[in-house]
Amino acid sequence: MKTMWITPEGLEKVKAELDHLWKVERPETTQKVAWAASLGDRSENADYHYNKKRLREIDKRVHYLRKCLDDLNVIHYTPYQEGKVMFGAWVEIENTKGHKIRFRIVGGEEIFERRDYISIDSPMAQALLKKEVGEEVLVQTPTVQILWRIKKIEYEK
């Protein structure tokens, strides 16, 4: 089950995507479909078929985003989180081989197109939750177990 949490920044991005799809892309694509349909024979009209397909994709995404907005819970920073790995934290960790990584723990709707974000539902995030700087955490993934030490925890306030 996916945790339906989102950061305030993530919520703004979801709203912006929905707004762009509904107010920009959908009207443009609808115009293209109408233009292509006006040319006559639709059976071999590639513009018509492509834009009709694109219109269905836009409508499907709009429907999904609207449902998400109804279901998502915005999690704001609170001073209680300070010093512990919680939702919204930027975490820097290092393994026993000296490999360091830095990422932010966010909701599943925010991880796309961001290599430095991980889902709150991921094995790494689940293992790190409520831990503090200096603690070691054994992270079990489907293929390997790795020991990590928490080096730094920061929050956007």
Side-chain angles (χ1 to χ4, degrees):
M1 181 78 182
K2 187 166 86 170
T3 305
M4 297 303 290
W5 291 352
I6 195 164
T7 62
E9 302 86 11
L11 181 66
E12 292 307 312
K13 287 181 182 177
V14 168
K15 286 180 178 179
E17 180 186 357
L18 177 60
D19 193 51
H20 177 75
L21 286 171
W22 189 250
K23 293 182 179 175
V24 178
E25 281 197 50
R26 193 173 195 291
E28 287 175 1
T29 306
T30 302
Q31 280 184 332
K32 290 175 186 176
V33 168
W35 169 80
S38 73
L39 298 177
D41 185 14
R42 296 178 191 164
S43 65
E44 295 182 18
N45 188 330
D47 280 332
Y48 176 80
H49 291 290
Y50 170 79
N51 286 300
K52 200 66 169 153
K53 179 180 180 243
R54 179 66 186 133
L55 195 56
R56 284 190 301 273
E57 291 167 355
I58 291 168
D59 287 344
K60 185 177 178 181
R61 183 71 178 158
V62 164
H63 177 74
Y64 175 78
L65 291 173
R66 284 184 175 159
K67 180 157 178 21
C68 276
L69 286 174
D70 291 340
D71 296 341
L72 288 170
N73 294 312
V74 180
I75 308 297
H76 296 275
Y77 167 81
T78 63
Y80 164 77
Q81 294 171 285
E82 210 56 52
K84 293 181 184 152
V85 177
M86 306 285 269
F87 184 83
W90 282 99
V91 183
E92 183 179 305
I93 57 177
E94 182 177 14
N95 68 12
T96 54
K97 295 178 182 176
H99 177 70
K100 288 183 182 179
I101 55 175
R102 183 175 187 269
F103 52 81
R104 187 174 189 199
I105 299 174
V106 296
E109 292 303 316
E110 298 178 76
I111 62 172
F112 305 104
E113 299 178 6
R114 290 292 305 250
R115 297 185 65 93
D116 57 345
Y117 279 15
I118 67 169
S119 170
I120 185 80
D121 299 313
S122 69
M124 176 71 81
Q126 289 296 306
L128 291 169
L129 285 177
K130 299 182 182 174
K131 302 293 191 275
E132 298 177 4
V133 171
E135 284 192 62
E136 290 185 344
V137 178
L138 186 62
V139 178
Q140 176 69 50
T141 66
T143 57
V144 71
Q145 269 188 345
I146 302 176
L147 186 65
W148 295 93
R149 178 183 295 275
I150 301 171
K151 304 298 275 180
K152 193 183 225 181
I153 303 167
E154 299 175 309
Y155 287 93
E156 293 183 12
K157 300 170 183 155

Short mmCIF file of all heavy atoms in Angstrom, two decimals, residues 83 85 90-96 98-103 128 131-137 148-154:
data_model
loop_
_atom_site.label_atom_id
_atom_site.label_comp_id
_atom_site.label_asym_id
_atom_site.label_seq_id
_atom_site.Cartn_x
_atom_site.Cartn_y
_atom_site.Cartn_z
N GLY A 83 16.37 16.49 14.21
CA GLY A 83 17.29 15.52 14.77
C GLY A 83 16.97 14.07 14.46
O GLY A 83 17.76 13.18 14.76
N VAL A 85 15.25 11.22 11.45
CA VAL A 85 14.86 11.02 10.05
C VAL A 85 13.35 10.81 10.02
O VAL A 85 12.83 9.86 10.59
CB VAL A 85 15.57 9.79 9.43
CG1 VAL A 85 15.08 9.57 8.01
CG2 VAL A 85 17.08 9.96 9.47
N TRP A 90 16.07 15.64 4.39
CA TRP A 90 17.24 15.41 3.53
C TRP A 90 18.21 14.62 4.40
O TRP A 90 18.56 15.05 5.50
CB TRP A 90 17.88 16.72 3.10
CG TRP A 90 17.16 17.40 1.99
CD1 TRP A 90 16.27 18.43 2.10
CD2 TRP A 90 17.27 17.11 0.60
NE1 TRP A 90 15.82 18.80 0.85
CE2 TRP A 90 16.42 18.00 -0.09
CE3 TRP A 90 18.00 16.17 -0.13
CZ2 TRP A 90 16.29 17.99 -1.46
CZ3 TRP A 90 17.87 16.16 -1.51
CH2 TRP A 90 17.02 17.06 -2.17
N VAL A 91 18.62 13.46 3.93
CA VAL A 91 19.48 12.57 4.71
C VAL A 91 20.75 12.28 3.93
O VAL A 91 20.70 11.98 2.74
CB VAL A 91 18.75 11.24 5.01
CG1 VAL A 91 19.59 10.35 5.89
CG2 VAL A 91 17.39 11.49 5.64
N GLU A 92 21.88 12.38 4.63
CA GLU A 92 23.15 11.97 4.04
C GLU A 92 23.63 10.75 4.81
O GLU A 92 23.69 10.77 6.04
CB GLU A 92 24.18 13.09 4.15
CG GLU A 92 25.50 12.75 3.48
CD GLU A 92 26.50 13.88 3.58
OE1 GLU A 92 26.15 15.00 3.16
OE2 GLU A 92 27.60 13.64 4.08
N ILE A 93 23.93 9.67 4.06
CA ILE A 93 24.39 8.43 4.69
C ILE A 93 25.67 7.95 4.02
O ILE A 93 25.97 8.34 2.89
CB ILE A 93 23.30 7.33 4.62
CG1 ILE A 93 22.87 7.07 3.18
CG2 ILE A 93 22.11 7.69 5.49
CD1 ILE A 93 21.86 5.95 3.00
N GLU A 94 26.40 7.12 4.74
CA GLU A 94 27.65 6.58 4.22
C GLU A 94 27.72 5.10 4.59
O GLU A 94 27.41 4.71 5.72
CB GLU A 94 28.83 7.32 4.84
CG GLU A 94 30.18 6.88 4.34
CD GLU A 94 31.32 7.70 4.94
OE1 GLU A 94 31.10 8.45 5.91
OE2 GLU A 94 32.44 7.60 4.41
N ASN A 95 28.15 4.26 3.63
CA ASN A 95 28.28 2.84 3.93
C ASN A 95 29.69 2.51 4.39
O ASN A 95 30.55 3.39 4.48
CB ASN A 95 27.83 1.96 2.74
CG ASN A 95 28.75 2.06 1.54
OD1 ASN A 95 29.85 2.60 1.60
ND2 ASN A 95 28.28 1.55 0.42
N THR A 96 29.93 1.24 4.68
CA THR A 96 31.23 0.81 5.22
C THR A 96 32.37 0.97 4.22
O THR A 96 33.53 0.98 4.60
CB THR A 96 31.15 -0.65 5.69
OG1 THR A 96 30.67 -1.45 4.61
CG2 THR A 96 30.23 -0.79 6.89
N GLY A 98 32.71 3.67 2.38
CA GLY A 98 32.94 5.09 2.21
C GLY A 98 32.07 5.75 1.15
O GLY A 98 32.23 6.93 0.86
N HIS A 99 31.13 5.00 0.58
CA HIS A 99 30.23 5.56 -0.44
C HIS A 99 29.14 6.39 0.25
O HIS A 99 28.41 5.89 1.11
CB HIS A 99 29.60 4.42 -1.25
CG HIS A 99 28.61 4.88 -2.27
ND1 HIS A 99 28.99 5.57 -3.40
CD2 HIS A 99 27.26 4.77 -2.32
CE1 HIS A 99 27.91 5.85 -4.11
NE2 HIS A 99 26.85 5.38 -3.47
N LYS A 100 29.06 7.68 -0.12
CA LYS A 100 28.07 8.59 0.46
C LYS A 100 26.95 8.86 -0.54
O LYS A 100 27.21 9.00 -1.73
CB LYS A 100 28.70 9.93 0.84
CG LYS A 100 29.59 9.88 2.03
CD LYS A 100 30.10 11.27 2.37
CE LYS A 100 31.05 11.24 3.54
NZ LYS A 100 31.56 12.56 3.86
N ILE A 101 25.73 8.97 -0.01
CA ILE A 101 24.61 9.41 -0.84
C ILE A 101 23.76 10.37 -0.01
O ILE A 101 23.74 10.31 1.22
CB ILE A 101 23.74 8.25 -1.38
CG1 ILE A 101 23.24 7.34 -0.28
CG2 ILE A 101 24.48 7.47 -2.43
CD1 ILE A 101 22.29 6.26 -0.76
N ARG A 102 23.09 11.26 -0.72
CA ARG A 102 22.21 12.24 -0.09
C ARG A 102 20.89 12.23 -0.83
O ARG A 102 20.86 12.23 -2.07
CB ARG A 102 22.83 13.64 -0.16
CG ARG A 102 22.00 14.71 0.53
CD ARG A 102 22.75 16.05 0.51
NE ARG A 102 22.06 17.04 1.29
CZ ARG A 102 21.15 17.88 0.80
NH1 ARG A 102 20.83 17.85 -0.47
NH2 ARG A 102 20.57 18.77 1.58
N PHE A 103 19.79 12.17 -0.09
CA PHE A 103 18.47 12.13 -0.72
C PHE A 103 17.43 12.70 0.24
O PHE A 103 17.71 12.90 1.42
CB PHE A 103 18.10 10.69 -1.11
CG PHE A 103 18.25 9.70 0.02
CD1 PHE A 103 17.28 9.57 0.99
CD2 PHE A 103 19.40 8.93 0.13
CE1 PHE A 103 17.43 8.67 2.03
CE2 PHE A 103 19.57 8.04 1.16
CZ PHE A 103 18.57 7.91 2.12
N LEU A 128 15.43 3.84 7.79
CA LEU A 128 16.00 5.05 8.38
C LEU A 128 15.05 5.81 9.29
O LEU A 128 15.50 6.61 10.12
CB LEU A 128 16.49 5.99 7.27
CG LEU A 128 17.70 5.53 6.48
CD1 LEU A 128 17.91 6.42 5.26
CD2 LEU A 128 18.94 5.51 7.35
N LYS A 131 15.50 7.40 13.06
CA LYS A 131 16.89 7.25 13.47
C LYS A 131 17.53 8.64 13.56
O LYS A 131 17.02 9.61 13.03
CB LYS A 131 17.67 6.38 12.48
CG LYS A 131 17.08 4.99 12.29
CD LYS A 131 17.21 4.15 13.53
CE LYS A 131 16.89 2.71 13.29
NZ LYS A 131 15.51 2.32 13.36
N GLU A 132 18.69 8.70 14.24
CA GLU A 132 19.39 9.96 14.46
C GLU A 132 20.78 9.92 13.86
O GLU A 132 21.29 8.85 13.52
CB GLU A 132 19.45 10.26 15.96
CG GLU A 132 18.08 10.42 16.59
CD GLU A 132 18.13 10.66 18.08
OE1 GLU A 132 19.24 10.79 18.65
OE2 GLU A 132 17.04 10.72 18.69
N VAL A 133 21.43 11.09 13.78
CA VAL A 133 22.79 11.19 13.26
C VAL A 133 23.71 10.30 14.08
O VAL A 133 23.63 10.26 15.32
CB VAL A 133 23.29 12.66 13.29
CG1 VAL A 133 24.77 12.74 12.95
CG2 VAL A 133 22.48 13.51 12.32
N GLY A 134 24.57 9.55 13.38
CA GLY A 134 25.52 8.66 14.03
C GLY A 134 25.03 7.22 14.14
O GLY A 134 25.83 6.31 14.32
N GLU A 135 23.73 7.02 14.04
CA GLU A 135 23.20 5.65 14.14
C GLU A 135 23.51 4.87 12.87
O GLU A 135 23.56 5.43 11.78
CB GLU A 135 21.68 5.66 14.36
CG GLU A 135 21.29 6.02 15.76
CD GLU A 135 19.82 5.75 16.02
OE1 GLU A 135 19.39 4.58 15.93
OE2 GLU A 135 19.10 6.72 16.32
N GLU A 136 23.71 3.56 13.06
CA GLU A 136 23.91 2.67 11.93
C GLU A 136 22.61 1.92 11.65
O GLU A 136 21.90 1.54 12.58
CB GLU A 136 25.04 1.69 12.21
CG GLU A 136 26.39 2.37 12.22
CD GLU A 136 27.53 1.39 12.39
OE1 GLU A 136 27.30 0.23 12.79
OE2 GLU A 136 28.67 1.80 12.10
N VAL A 137 22.36 1.72 10.36
CA VAL A 137 21.12 1.07 9.94
C VAL A 137 21.45 0.00 8.92
O VAL A 137 22.17 0.26 7.95
CB VAL A 137 20.16 2.11 9.31
CG1 VAL A 137 18.90 1.45 8.81
CG2 VAL A 137 19.85 3.22 10.30
N TRP A 148 24.56 1.17 6.71
CA TRP A 148 24.74 2.60 6.46
C TRP A 148 24.82 3.33 7.80
O TRP A 148 24.15 2.96 8.76
CB TRP A 148 23.56 3.16 5.67
CG TRP A 148 23.43 2.61 4.29
CD1 TRP A 148 22.68 1.54 3.90
CD2 TRP A 148 24.04 3.11 3.11
NE1 TRP A 148 22.80 1.34 2.55
CE2 TRP A 148 23.63 2.29 2.03
CE3 TRP A 148 24.92 4.16 2.84
CZ2 TRP A 148 24.04 2.50 0.73
CZ3 TRP A 148 25.33 4.37 1.54
CH2 TRP A 148 24.90 3.55 0.50
N ARG A 149 25.60 4.41 7.82
CA ARG A 149 25.68 5.30 8.99
C ARG A 149 25.09 6.65 8.58
O ARG A 149 25.44 7.20 7.53
CB ARG A 149 27.11 5.48 9.45
CG ARG A 149 27.22 6.46 10.64
CD ARG A 149 28.65 6.70 11.07
NE ARG A 149 29.28 5.50 11.58
CZ ARG A 149 29.18 5.08 12.85
NH1 ARG A 149 28.45 5.75 13.70
NH2 ARG A 149 29.80 3.99 13.24
N ILE A 150 24.23 7.17 9.43
CA ILE A 150 23.61 8.48 9.16
C ILE A 150 24.61 9.57 9.50
O ILE A 150 25.09 9.66 10.63
CB ILE A 150 22.31 8.66 9.97
CG1 ILE A 150 21.31 7.55 9.61
CG2 ILE A 150 21.71 10.05 9.72
CD1 ILE A 150 20.08 7.50 10.49
N LYS A 151 24.93 10.40 8.49
CA LYS A 151 25.91 11.48 8.66
C LYS A 151 25.26 12.83 8.92
O LYS A 151 25.80 13.65 9.65
CB LYS A 151 26.79 11.59 7.42
CG LYS A 151 27.53 10.31 7.03
CD LYS A 151 28.47 9.82 8.08
CE LYS A 151 29.79 10.48 7.96
NZ LYS A 151 30.76 10.06 8.97
N LYS A 152 24.11 13.06 8.30
CA LYS A 152 23.50 14.40 8.38
C LYS A 152 21.99 14.28 8.13
O LYS A 152 21.56 13.51 7.28
CB LYS A 152 24.13 15.29 7.34
CG LYS A 152 23.85 16.75 7.47
CD LYS A 152 24.51 17.48 6.30
CE LYS A 152 25.23 18.71 6.77
NZ LYS A 152 25.86 19.43 5.66
N ILE A 153 21.21 15.11 8.84
CA ILE A 153 19.76 15.19 8.64
C ILE A 153 19.39 16.67 8.57
O ILE A 153 19.75 17.44 9.48
CB ILE A 153 18.98 14.53 9.80
CG1 ILE A 153 19.40 13.07 9.98
CG2 ILE A 153 17.47 14.64 9.57
CD1 ILE A 153 18.91 12.44 11.27
N GLU A 154 18.69 17.07 7.52
CA GLU A 154 18.27 18.46 7.37
C GLU A 154 16.82 18.51 6.90
O GLU A 154 16.34 17.58 6.27
CB GLU A 154 19.12 19.18 6.32
CG GLU A 154 20.59 19.25 6.64
CD GLU A 154 21.40 19.86 5.51
OE1 GLU A 154 21.24 19.42 4.37
OE2 GLU A 154 22.18 20.76 5.80
#
